Amino acid sequence: MGSYADDSKWADIVPIPQDDGGPNALATIAYPDAYSEATSYLRAIMAKNEFSDRVLELTADIIDMNPAHYTVWLYRAKTLLQLNKDLREELDWVNPIALAHQKNYQIWHHRQLLTDKRNAYDGEREFIGEMLDEDSKNYHVWSYRQWLVRRFDLWDDKEIPFVEEMLKRDIRNNSAWNHRWFTVFGRYRPLTDIKHTEQSKQAASFAPLSQTGRTIESYPDSLIDREVAFAQEAIKLAPQNQSPWNYLSGVLREAGRPLATVKPFVEQFANLDEPEKVRSSHALDFLASIYAGEQPTSGPSSADESQKDVKKACQALDLLAEKYDPIRRFYWGWRKDIITKEARATGTA
Amino acid sequence: MDRDENKIEELSDTSAETIDASDEEDERLFGHQQHPTGADSPLVPPLFTSLPPIQDSLETETSQLQNRTIQECLPLLAAAERAAGGAIFDFNPYGLPRLDRERHVAFLQGSLGRLPSGFVAADASRPWMVYWALTCLYLLGQDLAQYREEVIATLTPMQNPDGGFGGGHGHYSHVAPSYAAVLSLVMVGGDEALNLIDRKAMWRWLGDLKQRDGGFQVCVGGEEDVRGAYCSMVIASLLNLPLELPSTSSAKQNDSDTLITGLREYLARCQTFEGGIADSPDNEAHGAFAFCALACLCLMDDPQKIINETLDVPRLISWLSSRQHAPEGGFAGRTNKLVDGCYSHWAGGCWPLIQAALDGPMPFDGPVAPTVGTIYSREGLTRYILCCCQGKRGGLRDKPSKHVDAYHSCYALVALSSTQHSYFYMGTAPDKPITPLTAAFHWASSPRVLDSNGEIQEPICDEEDRVKLIHPIFVIPWGVPETTRAWYEAKSGL
Ligand SMILES: [Zn+2]
Ligand SMILES: [Zn+2]
């Protein structure tokens, strides 16, 4: 009847047909016969907890028909580990499937599991590069790379050039910007930093949890200078590109440097004396933060109040609301409210 | 909780007598001819019909895709401006096309029927197919009780002895299909559906998913991410599961450890330098995970308290606000990505939760009035959903160049509902503090949208294009979370 039923290798197995809920069931699928048959053998195999070479053939067959079947991948991984298979060989088998199914994410968990077990990362960064050639913002692929770097301590000289190559292709690739952040700052911020201890509960009383647990004193000045300069060069290429603006603001906040340290740079793209000539709404947003005297969210109190000018902050926010980014006008209005209320409270208005 | 329920009824009662209906009628009958195309007061504001004020000359893949997306949306956003003669009646006085209710209902009923062999890729997502369609059908005004037997029949074979549901018969238990299955069962309701879930086993299984770092795996041995956390907490909260960790959980280090131990800290680690939230620490900020993280926090406590204590809220809002694009009006999931109908919910659905964090709890026995109110463009989102997401033959989609599907239909319609309503977190009596995992049962809603001055914002949707009210955290019909929880509370033991 089918390729399994006719195969003596599977003669000992009594397939368990799918119970898809009977005649009244919803969203039933007209499965191709081959898929129905293979999955009924899978149910039977799983019921008897068999891990064998024929299981690898069966799971490969099902994956070929439906790579989104997460159970098949998990059972396959268990089988590979039980049988002590060559996991590099498995990764090579997976590669073309990953390339053919860009959106599939089960593959990436499988890959992570095997790479972790292998305790080796040879070929992995190369394959990631191949994947990103097809889809430069693939979330699962970038996440896997971040996991890989942490897992094998790859804070080496390959990651930054890789990011720069990706950004050379598309300076607006935000996934690449995120990876740059991770590569530069991730090593200073081990994942174990924030622990659920009494200490972190106390920290929450003056700063949100996401802002605690950093070891900012360890950032060398030269590193921060380099990252600020990198973001600024990118902004010059395309000032309306939000990614480097987010990066620049993030770097300054992370390092505890006042936003106002880059005010002359920002004013090249948005200057309140020339409101008609704004070249970047993000620069205007940045300028509003500088004039509002926004403090770096972490680090020693190094807020620079000298540039604080509530009137100018409001002017920048009005320009955004009315002219340069009006879809967000309620947001800009809300920011203005906060600034003016704060000014009234402190008598600086 | 009794008091809150009264308050919810009060709220919807008083708000039922909305704006004078006869005015609306007049506007609909006579308004259209008063807006000739090309006149100085266009039906559609120029914000939604013209290019962004600043565009860089440097071209990259990102800018090309973005421009292409604007070009495919503009004609649909501005369609009312060009409509002439009888075609003008296809639009409401604000230049919005009608909600194509009948065709959407037909499409979604179809998605619950026999699906062709091409759907084999959805074989591990059948509980989702059920959930998406039921949610849409409810929003569009259909009675879900008629599906009760079918839902039970469909999901029964997917429940595993370990307590979770798999994506299909014989699939491993996984939080995503478990979430979809549990929500589908409680939506159709009734003793048989609610009794189907093995709560004791479910609780033990959630304990197996709990990780020492505070988060949850999506299945035993699977990946850990904020989806896992949100889905687990929805299940635990709705089903009134014990808060304590089962002794079988390998995450249990101290006797006092619970399902939520370390969870806030885990979610905090997912906030990125951009201010948004990633699926797990180190990764890129993404709309879907922002919703999961915020909703998860709102399940745990008063939104104002827990969101502000866990996340850098000004950065989060700055990031979230940037995800709404003009002229498209819809939301993108990440920086420099494209608008997509499903992010109308994933990113857009963060707003009611953020708003509750800013407004703070409404006074336990005082009037309901937001202090901050809406800070995104409800109008833009409504325009994107109605103009760009509706397929000609029913169903809703990612963007005009994509096919309709049940997933995008669901999250576009959920978001449309959100644009049409206001939600409030209600304070509790001083002697009745919130207990963990009951916070989400203290919300109220109003069909009127109030701004920060307490004034009613004029809706741009006509009455006939309104969809039903949905819970902003559980994403199931309004009122169902409370009745479900009460049903399980009344049941003795697990
Ligand atoms: Zn009109
Ligand atoms: Zn989508």
Coordinates of all heavy atoms in Angstrom, one line a residue, chain A residues 41-67:
Chain A
Y41 N 3.8 5.7 11.2 CA 4.9 4.9 11.6 C 5.7 5.7 12.7 O 6.2 5.1 13.6 CB 5.8 4.5 10.4 CG 5.3 3.3 9.7 CD1 4.3 3.4 8.8 CD2 5.8 2.0 10.0 CE1 3.8 2.2 8.2 CE2 5.4 0.9 9.4 CZ 4.3 1.0 8.5 OH 3.8 -0.1 7.9
L42 N 5.8 7.0 12.6 CA 6.5 7.8 13.6 C 5.8 7.6 15.0 O 6.4 7.4 16.0 CB 6.5 9.2 13.2 CG 7.1 10.1 14.3 CD1 8.6 10.0 14.3 CD2 6.8 11.6 14.0
R43 N 4.4 7.7 15.0 CA 3.7 7.5 16.2 C 4.0 6.2 16.8 O 4.2 6.1 18.1 CB 2.2 7.7 16.0 CG 1.7 9.2 16.1 CD 0.2 9.3 15.9 NE -0.2 9.0 14.5 CZ -0.2 9.9 13.6 NH1 0.0 11.2 13.8 NH2 -0.6 9.6 12.3
A44 N 4.1 5.1 16.0 CA 4.3 3.8 16.5 C 5.7 3.7 17.1 O 6.0 3.1 18.1 CB 4.1 2.8 15.4
I45 N 6.7 4.3 16.4 CA 8.1 4.3 16.8 C 8.3 5.0 18.1 O 8.9 4.5 19.0 CB 9.0 4.9 15.7 CG1 9.1 4.0 14.5 CG2 10.3 5.4 16.2 CD1 10.0 2.8 14.8
M46 N 7.6 6.2 18.2 CA 7.7 7.0 19.4 C 7.1 6.3 20.6 O 7.5 6.4 21.7 CB 7.1 8.4 19.2 CG 8.0 9.3 18.4 SD 7.2 10.9 18.0 CE 7.1 11.6 19.6
A47 N 6.0 5.5 20.3 CA 5.3 4.8 21.4 C 6.2 3.8 22.0 O 6.1 3.4 23.2 CB 4.0 4.2 20.9
K48 N 7.0 3.2 21.2 CA 7.9 2.1 21.8 C 9.3 2.7 22.0 O 10.2 1.9 22.4 CB 7.9 0.9 20.9 CG 8.5 1.0 19.5 CD 8.2 -0.2 18.6 CE 9.2 -1.3 18.8 NZ 10.4 -1.2 17.9
N49 N 9.5 4.0 21.9 CA 10.8 4.6 22.3 C 11.9 4.0 21.6 O 13.0 3.7 22.1 CB 11.0 4.5 23.8 CG 10.8 5.9 24.4 OD1 11.2 6.9 23.9 ND2 10.1 5.9 25.6
E50 N 11.7 3.8 20.3 CA 12.9 3.2 19.5 C 13.8 4.2 19.0 O 13.4 5.3 18.5 CB 12.3 2.4 18.3 CG 13.4 1.8 17.4 CD 12.8 1.0 16.3 OE1 11.8 0.3 16.4 OE2 13.4 1.2 15.1
F51 N 15.1 4.0 19.2 CA 16.1 4.9 18.6 C 17.0 4.0 17.7 O 17.7 3.2 18.3 CB 16.9 5.6 19.7 CG 16.0 6.4 20.6 CD1 15.7 5.9 21.9 CD2 15.5 7.6 20.2 CE1 14.9 6.7 22.8 CE2 14.7 8.3 21.1 CZ 14.4 7.9 22.3
S52 N 16.9 4.2 16.4 CA 17.7 3.3 15.6 C 18.0 4.0 14.2 O 17.5 5.1 14.0 CB 16.9 2.0 15.3 OG 15.7 2.4 14.6
D53 N 18.7 3.3 13.4 CA 19.0 3.9 12.1 C 17.8 4.1 11.2 O 17.7 5.1 10.5 CB 20.1 3.0 11.3 CG 21.5 3.3 11.9 OD1 21.8 4.4 12.1 OD2 22.2 2.3 12.1
R54 N 16.9 3.2 11.3 CA 15.7 3.3 10.5 C 14.8 4.5 11.0 O 14.1 5.1 10.2 CB 14.8 2.0 10.5 CG 14.2 1.7 11.8 CD 13.3 0.4 11.6 NE 12.6 0.0 12.8 CZ 11.8 -1.0 13.0 NH1 11.6 -1.8 11.9 NH2 11.3 -1.2 14.1
V55 N 15.0 4.9 12.2 CA 14.3 6.1 12.7 C 14.9 7.3 12.0 O 14.1 8.3 11.7 CB 14.4 6.2 14.3 CG1 13.9 7.6 14.7 CG2 13.7 5.1 15.0
L56 N 16.2 7.3 11.8 CA 16.8 8.5 11.1 C 16.2 8.6 9.7 O 16.0 9.7 9.2 CB 18.3 8.3 11.1 CG 18.9 8.4 12.5 CD1 20.4 8.2 12.4 CD2 18.6 9.8 13.2
E57 N 16.0 7.4 9.1 CA 15.4 7.5 7.7 C 14.0 8.0 7.7 O 13.6 8.8 6.9 CB 15.5 6.1 7.1 CG 16.8 5.6 6.7 CD 16.9 4.1 6.4 OE1 15.8 3.6 5.9 OE2 17.9 3.4 6.7
L58 N 13.3 7.5 8.7 CA 11.8 7.9 8.8 C 11.7 9.4 9.1 O 10.9 10.1 8.4 CB 11.2 7.0 9.9 CG 9.7 7.4 10.3 CD1 8.8 7.1 9.1 CD2 9.3 6.6 11.5
T59 N 12.5 9.8 10.0 CA 12.4 11.3 10.4 C 12.8 12.1 9.2 O 12.3 13.2 8.9 CB 13.2 11.6 11.7 OG1 14.5 11.1 11.5 CG2 12.5 11.0 12.9
A60 N 13.9 11.7 8.5 CA 14.3 12.5 7.3 C 13.2 12.5 6.3 O 13.0 13.6 5.7 CB 15.6 11.8 6.7
D61 N 12.5 11.5 6.1 CA 11.4 11.4 5.1 C 10.3 12.4 5.5 O 9.8 13.2 4.7 CB 10.9 10.0 5.1 CG 9.9 9.8 4.0 OD1 10.0 10.5 3.0 OD2 9.0 8.9 4.1
I62 N 10.0 12.4 6.8 CA 8.9 13.3 7.3 C 9.4 14.8 7.2 O 8.6 15.7 6.7 CB 8.4 13.0 8.7 CG1 7.8 11.6 8.7 CG2 7.4 14.0 9.2 CD1 7.5 11.0 10.1
I63 N 10.6 15.0 7.6 CA 11.1 16.4 7.5 C 11.1 16.9 6.1 O 10.8 18.1 5.8 CB 12.6 16.4 8.1 CG1 12.5 16.4 9.6 CG2 13.3 17.7 7.6 CD1 13.8 16.1 10.3
D64 N 11.4 16.0 5.2 CA 11.4 16.4 3.7 C 10.0 16.9 3.3 O 9.8 17.8 2.5 CB 11.8 15.2 2.9 CG 12.0 15.5 1.4 OD1 12.6 16.6 1.2 OD2 11.4 14.8 0.6
M65 N 8.9 16.2 3.9 CA 7.6 16.6 3.5 C 7.0 17.8 4.4 O 6.2 18.5 3.9 CB 6.6 15.4 3.7 CG 6.9 14.3 2.7 SD 5.8 12.9 2.8 CE 6.5 11.9 4.1
N66 N 7.5 17.9 5.6 CA 7.0 19.0 6.5 C 8.1 19.3 7.5 O 8.1 18.9 8.6 CB 5.7 18.5 7.2 CG 5.2 19.6 8.2 OD1 5.7 20.8 8.1 ND2 4.4 19.2 9.1
P67 N 9.0 20.2 7.2 CA 10.1 20.6 8.1 C 9.6 21.4 9.3 O 10.3 21.7 10.2 CB 11.0 21.4 7.2 CG 10.2 21.9 6.1 CD 9.1 20.9 5.8

